Amino acid sequence: MSKKKVLVTGGAGFIGGNFVQYMVNKYPEYDIYNLDLLTYAGDLTKHREIENKENYHFVKADIADRNTILPLFEKEQFDYVVHFAAESHVDRSITEPEIFVRTNVLGTQVLLDAAKQIGIKKFLHVSTDEVYGELDFDPTTFFTEETPLQPNSPYSASKASSDLLVRAYHETFGLPINITRCSNNYGPYHFPEKLIPLTISRVLNDQKVPVYGNGGNIRDWLHVHDHCAAIDLVLHQGEVGEIYNVGGHNERTNLEVVKTIIKALGKSEDLIEFVQDRLGHDKRYAIDPTKLEKLGWKPTYTFETGIAQTIQWYLDHKDWWERIISGEYKKYFEKQYSLSKE
Ligand code: NAD
Ligand code: DAU
């Protein structure tokens, strides 16, 4: 019997990269294809330990490039698509929204056409809780799969648009799909533009940590390895056409997160600098994961064990993130933030 072929888009990024490693190691009987354009957020050095394995393959391509994607699907006849590739940073979507529409909306539509053309067995679209908009600070309220879509940023609007296209290809063409909507991830290989790796890397370098507004906004944190296990489960056992929320009830204010990291690294809270708030800054995200739990998923990390593992990982992999923050990222940081002193 021929091996099953799984196409993972965005497998050079943070979550996609962790997922590719998880799948290559867990399923030697599958061929895992990592398709990625290698934008600023993509990096292949993270795959050194798997890149020579027989079941790992890399394709450099743009998901929005129809002339490349359609023939590739015809040639390889993938069994499954797990679609992570996206522009993922909210702040960048505020300054440059257009690329978010191109990649996240048009790119998804091209992949859907290609998947439809070859009769894919499952198209799993990795989405986000941000499509639901924001919650207020009432701790008894959560996003469920029935919460209406009310995206507030250009990023979340582009993700919601792609979710609707995925749904429409299921309704119109019977494409076998799932959509997962996860809360904030953290863990190894998280790009240092995002709050947790930004804080760890800057605290380690004794640099100021920019906290938006008063730091009271709440995010619901999930370790990326728990997210990978959730996607594996939905890919294999999710009911076709269904949406699954992914989250582990780990709500923290941004200030709590930053203070936890500073304390763990034995540094001073004087490193915190409150800066101008993000435009349209969503107050709170919190996931109700009951539907996924009924499928058999539960997270293995608490926030305490996960953040300790993550901080240790950044201490052990300084070469990885120091290379990133010294490159093009440096210019981005200077443009995005103006801190009191560097
Ligand atoms: P990331 O920015 O770290 O990685 C995105 C990857 O996609 C990069 O490797 C990049 O090179 C690639 N890419 C971008 N444009 C492409 C294109 N046109 N063609 C091919 N590849 C392209 O993102 P991430 O944080 O790993 O997020 C992955 C997915 O998970 C996204 O769809 C995001 O919306 C979703 N998500 C992220 C989080 C989170 O907390 N990071 C939470 C929930 C959902
Ligand atoms: O909820 C899932 C989403 O989580 C994903 O869909 C996105 O792809 C991912 O980037 C993430 O979005 P957030 O905007 O929540 O993540 P970010 O790390 O950018 O910010 C987390 C919180 O920290 C948010 O309230 C803004 C705040 N923040 C962020 C940065 C970068 C700061 O206070 N200072 C900062 O410098």
Side-chain angles (χ1 to χ4, degrees), residues 103-122:
T103 299
N104 301 359
V105 186
L106 183 63
T108 301
Q109 195 248 327
V110 169
L111 290 170
L112 288 166
D113 275 345
K116 170 166 100 54
Q117 173 183 285
I118 64 162
I120 205 91
K121 291 192 180 72
K122 170 85 61 91

Side-chain angles (χ1 to χ4, degrees), residues 88 128-130 155 184 195 210 212 219 254 278 281 337:
S88 70
T128 168
D129 59 359
E130 296 199 17
Y155 160 71
N184 286 63
L195 180 69
Y212 296 157
R219 295 294 181 264
N254 295 334
R278 174 184 278 176
H281 195 174
Y337 302 93

Side-chain angles (χ1 to χ4, degrees), residues 292-309:
L292 185 66
E293 284 169 354
K294 283 190 186 146
L295 204 63
W297 176 83
K298 63 173 193 299
T300 58
Y301 289 92
T302 61
F303 186 69
E304 284 67 33
T305 58
I307 198 72
Q309 185 266 6

Side-chain angles (χ1 to χ4, degrees), residues 53-246:
K53 294 206 176 198
E54 260 183 32
N55 66 335
Y56 173 75
H57 313 271
F58 176 68
V59 184
K60 183 169 185 221
D62 179 352
I63 56 166
D65 177 4
R66 184 171 288 272
N67 294 332
T68 302
I69 297 297
L70 267 61
L72 176 74
F73 273 62
E74 275 299 338
K75 176 169 170 259
E76 298 294 351
Q77 296 290 314
F78 301 115
D79 295 282
Y80 301 117
V81 173
V82 184
H83 176 32
F84 294 91
E87 288 293 332
S88 70
H89 193 35
V90 173
D91 290 330
R92 291 187 192 246
S93 83
I94 293 167
T95 49
E96 282 176 75
E98 196 169 330
I99 184 71
F100 285 71
V101 175
R102 183 183 181 276
T103 299
N104 301 359
V105 186
L106 183 63
T108 301
Q109 195 248 327
V110 169
L111 290 170
L112 288 166
D113 275 345
K116 170 166 100 54
Q117 173 183 285
I118 64 162
I120 205 91
K121 291 192 180 72
K122 170 85 61 91
F123 187 102
L124 192 156
H125 178 60
V126 180
S127 189
T128 168
D129 59 359
E130 296 199 17
V131 299
Y132 298 122
E134 65 175 356
L135 294 164
D136 63 23
F137 293 113
D138 171 359
T140 63
T141 56
F142 298 97
F143 294 136
T144 73
E145 290 80 3
E146 275 72 49
T147 302
L149 301 189
Q150 229 166 8
N152 291 321
S153 71
Y155 160 71
S156 52
S158 70
K159 290 296 290 186
S161 307
S162 62
D163 286 22
L164 293 180
L165 280 169
V166 174
R167 182 184 177 280
Y169 272 63
H170 173 63
E171 296 295 328
T172 305
F173 305 113
L175 194 76
I177 62 107
N178 283 124
I179 297 174
T180 55
R181 293 185 178 140
C182 191
S183 60
N184 286 63
N185 282 219
Y186 67 101
Y189 297 115
H190 202 180
F191 195 88
E193 68 189 347
K194 310 280 168 60
L195 180 69
I196 286 184
L198 178 134
T199 302
I200 299 173
S201 56
R202 291 189 66 82
V203 170
L204 283 173
N205 284 335
D206 293 306
Q207 291 169 313
K208 293 278 185 188
V209 179
V211 172
Y212 296 157
N214 63 9
N217 299 56
I218 291 174
R219 295 294 181 264
D220 184 0
W221 294 97
L222 186 75
H223 194 281
V224 66
H225 294 162
D226 285 328
H227 188 190
C228 291
I231 291 173
D232 178 15
L233 181 69
V234 174
L235 182 66
H236 291 97
Q237 291 177 43
E239 199 180 318
V240 166
E242 291 297 309
I243 296 167
Y244 295 91
N245 283 352
V246 191

